[in-house]
Amino acid sequence: MSQFSFTKPKPRIAPWLAALVVLAVFGYALQQSWQKQSDIPAFVLPAADLPAGKGIYQERFVLGKAQNFVHSPTVTQLPGGDLLAAWFEGSREGAADVQIMHSRFLASENRWTAPTSLMTRQTTAEGVGRHIRKLGNPVLVSSPTGKVFLFYVSVSYGGWGGSAINWVASSDSATTWSQPKRLITTPFLNVSTLVRNPAVLHDNGVIGLPVYHEFLGKFPEYLLISNEGVVLDKIRMNDGDESLQPSVSPIDTSRALAVLRYSGNGPPKAMGQMTQDRGASWSKPVPMPISNPNSSLGSIATGLTQWPLLVAANDTEDGRYRLRMYLTDADMKTWKLIHAADASPNEDGKPYDLRQDPNYMKNLVGKVSKAIDEESIQVVTNRVCKGGNACELQYEYPTLIRSSDGLFHLLYAWNDMLIKHVTFDQAWIQQHAARP
């Protein structure tokens, strides 16, 4: 028997807002043509004949230098086969100089191009016609029509709870982009909606975008968006106030599994939900067997029968010093640890004493890329190793996609200074799944 039970989430709203919300919803309904949940198109799945591969596992960095604070990477495959990655970068999170940066992975040359700016506060403000104080999480998605979307977060006033989602699109394989527009996601003020994890594709060119709220509660929602950037429907995934940043992975044309970041006061466990009707309704969230220290998780369907879902997570009770990959079944009851993508040499996560090995950070960077210069290695060492010795390592915000050649791509923030790109295939997953 499945551990999930399905109930329709009930909106939770303060009484003093009821009248305003009713009026706002009524006015909003006049402008929007909401899609009936029974009409939600089927999930689009990868081709069944994708090659399993030969058991490869490769690591590289997207960036060639370590200078700024980098965070929340996203990646998609472009129509021609290249990959496109984006992230936000600046002097610190929430700083006025934060930009959405991007880089292209040239498949024919097996390398990432030098990063360039994609969106700034100024270009966003000009496009949406309002003041923009800071930028945040980007999400890239390639539509079956060939159009590439970038959804990203901005804040005009206040903190992340006052966020809105903006979008731009490209019809020429990410060479040029449209002017930024605001995604209309809420009937009242259109604030407090954020993105983080990859979008899901449905038939008829419909995009399923997992989003979440951080104002008047913390909860996830699922948006259905047209190829023109119009919200067709908005579905509340649960009525709790302690889960956010859903990562949704379809495992067949009707079912999808979701893992969520837990932000409550209980035991630090990842949360799980599922849908059996293409996202129209969702099971109640339940704690998963793996720990989650209020940190973002990534997931993707594997195409395997026994282990249909792969999850990348900080499976610790406190801190993000370890990022490991797990397989789980269709009910998310049984979990199997298969690999540690990155981890502190100290199992308890305590700072590593550089005096044990003065070249530790240099070797850690060097095993991934020989192209990182000495200056960048010193920048990494100075920022990671407090006082010159106590190295506090962090690996966070994983995102997973599968490209049309059958390869899986894992990107995550490496000590908030570099973006790490790990490539592997289904055969590698199967080999690790078969281990005791």
Side-chain angles (χ1 to χ4, degrees):
M1 180 180 293
S2 173
Q3 63 181 316
F4 298 104
S5 61
F6 286 80
T7 57
K8 188 174 182 180
K10 298 178 181 178
R12 304 175 73 180
I13 187 167
W16 60 271
L17 283 176
L20 286 175
V21 170
V22 168
L23 290 173
V25 170
F26 178 75
Y28 189 57
L30 296 177
Q31 304 174 48
Q32 296 292 322
S33 176
W34 295 104
Q35 178 164 311
K36 295 181 180 179
Q37 293 182 351
S38 60
D39 295 334
I40 294 176
F43 291 124
V44 174
L45 301 177
D49 57 352
L50 289 180
K54 299 180 179 179
I56 68 167
Y57 187 92
Q58 300 172 341
E59 299 176 308
R60 59 177 65 85
F61 288 122
V62 175
L63 293 89
K65 286 185 174 292
Q67 296 175 329
N68 296 321
F69 174 89
V70 301
H71 198 52
S72 193
T74 179
V75 64
T76 193
Q77 185 177 29
L78 298 173
D82 291 347
L83 301 180
L84 185 69
W87 59 92
F88 73 80
E89 177 176 338
S91 55
R92 58 175 174 79
E93 181 174 348
D97 62 357
V98 165
Q99 303 179 59
I100 305 298
M101 303 292 290
H102 72 318
S103 173
R104 185 185 297 253
F105 182 74
L106 304 176
S108 61
E109 300 178 26
N110 199 40
R111 68 176 180 88
W112 289 95
T113 61
T116 56
S117 176
L118 178 54
M119 284 293 135
T120 67
R121 291 191 307 119
Q122 291 74 22
T123 56
T124 303
E126 291 170 3
V128 301
R130 65 189 65 215
H131 169 71
I132 301 296
R133 191 169 73 86
K134 60 183 180 180
L135 301 181
N137 299 352
V139 168
L140 288 164
V141 57
S142 294
S143 166
T145 64
K147 186 181 289 187
V148 180
F149 285 88
L150 169 71
F151 300 97
Y152 64 104
V153 172
S154 71
V155 175
S156 294
Y157 302 98
W160 294 122
S163 297
I165 299 176
N166 314 282
W167 65 273
V168 293
S170 173
S171 298
D172 55 8
S173 194
T175 302
T176 60
W177 297 83
S178 64
Q179 284 289 316
K181 295 182 180 179
R182 264 196 158 191
L183 198 66
I184 307 301
T185 62
T186 61
F188 184 61
L189 299 181
N190 195 35
V191 297
S192 192
T193 309
L194 299 90
V195 290
R196 158 61 197 127
N197 280 305
V200 172
L201 299 180
H202 293 257
D203 284 341
N204 304 330
V206 173
I207 296 171
L209 186 64
V211 300
Y212 62 100
H213 284 251
E214 289 195 23
F215 181 66
L216 296 178
K218 296 181 179 181
F219 56 88
E221 291 183 326
Y222 189 68
L223 303 181
L224 294 169
I225 302 172
S226 75
N227 198 55
E228 288 71 44
V230 175
V231 175
L232 303 172
D233 204 350
K234 181 176 68 170
I235 300 156
R236 182 81 166 259
M237 292 177 63
N238 70 64
D239 59 2
D241 57 7
E242 299 176 330
S243 61
L244 60 162
Q245 295 180 346
S247 177
V248 176
S249 301
I251 60 173
D252 60 34
T253 57
S254 293
R255 292 184 300 161
L257 306 179
V259 290
L260 304 96
R261 171 178 178 171
Y262 177 65
S263 60
N265 297 319
K269 294 289 186 180
M271 304 298 288
Q273 292 184 258
M274 70 182 302
T275 179
Q276 298 176 333
D277 51 15
R278 306 171 304 285
S281 63
W282 294 83
S283 64
K284 298 180 67 173
V286 298
M288 297 288 97
I290 62 170
S291 296
N292 173 248
N294 196 3
S295 182
S296 184
L297 304 92
S299 67
I300 193 168
T302 64
L304 302 176
T305 301
Q306 182 182 4
W307 304 105
L309 189 68
L310 176 72
V311 177
N314 298 118
D315 60 339
T316 63
E317 293 190 358
D318 186 27
R320 301 173 181 179
Y321 58 87
R322 185 174 69 212
L323 182 69
R324 300 201 292 194
M325 288 192 274
Y326 285 83
L327 293 171
T328 185
D329 60 12
D331 290 322
M332 290 195 279
K333 280 186 175 181
T334 304
W335 291 67
K336 182 179 179 65
L337 172 64
I338 63 168
H339 183 66
D342 258 311
S344 167
N346 294 329
E347 291 188 5
D348 57 5
K350 291 182 178 179
Y352 178 77
D353 191 342
L354 203 59
R355 289 171 295 188
Q356 298 180 51
D357 179 6
N359 292 318
Y360 176 75
M361 292 303 302
K362 180 178 181 179
N363 294 335
L364 190 63
V365 174
K367 76 174 185 178
V368 179
S369 173
K370 303 297 182 184
I372 304 293
D373 58 32
E374 290 289 337
E375 180 182 354
S376 292
I377 292 175
Q378 193 58 51
V379 169
V380 171
T381 303
N382 292 343
R383 285 173 56 184
V384 172
C385 305
K386 311 300 183 193
N389 291 314
C391 304
E392 299 182 25
L393 302 163
Q394 287 195 89
Y395 313 105
E396 55 192 337
Y397 274 56
T399 188
L400 282 156
I401 67 164
R402 192 179 188 185
S403 50
S404 60
D405 56 5
L407 293 176
F408 293 83
H409 301 275
L410 167 67
L411 271 70
Y412 56 96
W414 192 90
N415 290 297
D416 290 331
M417 281 171 282
L418 295 167
I419 303 296
K420 192 169 180 180
H421 172 206
V422 180
T423 303
F424 51 95
D425 56 18
Q426 192 183 67
W428 179 87
I429 296 174
Q430 290 175 309
Q431 292 166 10
H432 284 69
R435 293 179 178 177

